[in-house]
């Protein structure tokens, strides 16, 4: 199964994968029904989660029902338990980059959100836009979700500046990225052009860097106030395992003062 999933991820374009997943997802959820692992997003339980990874495959990470990964489930728990994202009585303007299927319909149906999605290629995007040149006015959004996007962007400084520009004062941006916190500094190498080699080194063929500990300070240099939220430390080990979370993953919660 791991080889099959790796082949699918590396050969089928992402927009097509998104469309196909709507057909495959209910079948997988039925076949893998059980009690060992639970997806906190929809509360459904399974005997196993699916493997995932463009390079090396990780076991028990892809939820059969929502297609969430570790980062999605961690973000859901943070938003649910630590913010008023789901409960605010005041309507919040939300901008969501490269919207994930795990969240898309749920966020779209929330009455307390004025929800806009954006991406250059995703079929789920309301606005087709370049993150380095956004077609939005300054200070527009209360909340920005931009998760596992910046590692694809050659000029991530410009992208961060645009995110800061369109965020309202006192707004919150959650900017998750693949992180290797054993590295002090971020690594990139534009001379590596072979897709297999890029997948091996960067974790995915279309990634342009591996972020290290300096990622958070780079966000601060843009103007954000950054909370490095080690949220799995606030969740019991039993639930961390049951929800298939990545222990020690840091959520970059950013504010514009």
């Amino acid at each position: 199964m791991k080889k099959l999933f790796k082949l699918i991820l590396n050969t089928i374009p992402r927009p097509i994968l998104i469309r196909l997943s709507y057909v495959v997802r209910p079948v997988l959820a039925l076949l893998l029904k059980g009690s060992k692992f639970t997806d906190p997003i929809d509360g459904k339980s399974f005997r196993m989660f699916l493997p995932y990874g463009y390079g090396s495959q990780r076991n028990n990470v892809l939820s059969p029902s929502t297609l969430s990964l570790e980062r999605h489930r961690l973000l859901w728990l943070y938003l649910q338990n630590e913010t008023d994202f789901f409960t605010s009585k005041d309507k919040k303007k939300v901008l969501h980059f490269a919207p994930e299927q795990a969240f898309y319909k749920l966020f779209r149906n929330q009455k307390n959100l004025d929800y806009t999605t954006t991406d250059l290629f995703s079929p789920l995007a309301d606005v087709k836009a370049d993150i380095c040149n956004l077609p939005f006015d300054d200070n527009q959004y209360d909340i920005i979700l931009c998760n596992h996007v910046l590692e694809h962007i050659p000029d991530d400084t410009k992208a961060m500046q645009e995110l800061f520009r369109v965020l309202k004062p006192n707004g919150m941006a959650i900017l998750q990225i693949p992180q290797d916190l054993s590295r002090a500094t971020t690594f990139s190498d534009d001379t590596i052009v072979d897709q297999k080699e890029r997948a091996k080194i960067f974790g995915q063929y279309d990634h342009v860097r591996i972020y290290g500990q300096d990622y958070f300070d780079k966000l601060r240099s843009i103007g954000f106030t950054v909370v490095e939220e080690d949220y799995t430390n606030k969740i019991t080990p039993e639930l961390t395992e049951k929800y298939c979370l990545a222990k020690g993953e840091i959520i970059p919660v950013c504010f514009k003062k």
Side-chain angles (χ1 to χ4, degrees):
M1 184 180 290
K2 290 173 68 174
K3 289 183 178 180
L4 175 61
F5 271 78
K6 184 175 180 179
L7 178 65
I8 290 171
L9 288 172
N10 283 284
T11 55
I12 300 177
R14 191 184 302 271
I16 296 175
L17 278 175
I18 290 172
R19 291 186 173 95
L20 288 175
S21 67
Y22 281 101
V23 177
V24 175
R25 187 168 56 181
V27 177
L28 291 173
L30 181 62
L31 291 175
L32 297 177
K33 190 175 180 180
S35 60
K36 186 171 183 180
F37 301 115
T38 298
D39 186 338
I41 296 174
D42 64 2
K44 293 182 180 179
S45 297
F46 305 94
R47 59 183 173 84
M48 62 177 287
F49 279 6
L50 296 162
Y52 189 85
Y54 283 78
S56 59
Q57 292 266 301
R58 310 187 302 281
N59 289 321
N60 289 314
V61 294
L62 183 67
S63 165
S65 57
T66 68
L67 299 184
S68 65
L69 294 167
E70 308 101 316
R71 63 180 182 265
H72 305 131
R73 296 187 289 274
L74 185 65
L75 175 58
W76 177 273
L77 290 166
Y78 178 80
L79 291 174
Q80 183 179 64
N81 297 331
E82 306 297 329
T83 76
D84 64 351
F85 185 85
F86 296 105
T87 59
S88 174
K89 293 180 180 179
D90 296 323
K91 200 158 199 174
K92 294 182 181 292
K93 289 192 68 173
V94 177
L95 182 63
H96 191 174
F97 287 83
E100 301 94 338
Q101 290 182 75
F103 300 139
Y104 178 73
K105 285 188 177 180
L106 294 167
F107 292 176
R108 175 72 75 202
N109 292 333
Q110 277 187 229
K111 303 299 184 184
N112 68 321
L113 301 182
D114 179 358
Y115 180 66
T116 300
T117 60
T118 185
D119 190 72
L120 270 178
F121 305 110
S122 173
L124 303 181
D126 299 318
V127 179
K128 295 293 193 293
D130 180 354
I131 192 172
C132 294
N133 186 24
L134 294 173
F136 308 117
D137 292 336
D138 296 356
N139 306 316
Q140 282 292 297
Y141 293 96
D142 299 290
I143 298 171
I144 293 176
L145 302 175
C146 180
N147 302 320
H148 284 233
V149 172
L150 292 172
E151 70 276 7
H152 298 266
I153 309 302
D155 190 353
D156 65 338
T157 300
K158 179 59 176 173
M160 292 175 185
Q161 290 170 340
E162 281 290 89
L163 294 172
F164 186 82
R165 179 181 68 80
V166 302
L167 186 66
K168 286 182 180 180
N170 300 314
M172 177 182 73
I174 296 183
L175 311 177
Q176 289 172 292
I177 41 84
Q179 52 195 237
D180 181 357
L181 297 181
S182 67
R183 295 175 181 267
T185 58
T186 295
F187 170 74
S188 63
D189 187 344
D190 294 338
T191 67
I192 304 170
V193 295
D194 181 75
Q195 288 195 351
K196 289 184 178 179
E197 189 68 11
R198 294 194 71 82
K200 180 180 178 182
I201 293 174
F202 295 106
Q204 197 164 306
Y205 69 89
D206 54 353
H207 288 186
V208 298
R209 66 183 61 82
I210 304 172
Y211 285 107
Q213 297 174 28
D214 58 344
Y215 173 67
F216 309 105
D217 283 336
K218 180 164 186 176
L219 291 171
R220 293 183 179 105
S221 74
I222 300 298
F224 290 109
T225 298
V226 181
V227 176
E228 300 174 32
E229 183 65 67
D230 187 359
Y231 198 59
T232 57
N233 272 341
K234 298 181 180 179
I235 301 170
T236 65
E238 293 77 17
L239 285 180
T240 298
E241 182 176 354
K242 190 172 186 64
Y243 294 153
C244 294
L245 305 176
K247 182 67 176 175
E249 179 177 353
I250 305 299
I251 304 175
V253 186
C254 307
F255 300 93
K256 180 176 177 177
K257 299 299 186 182

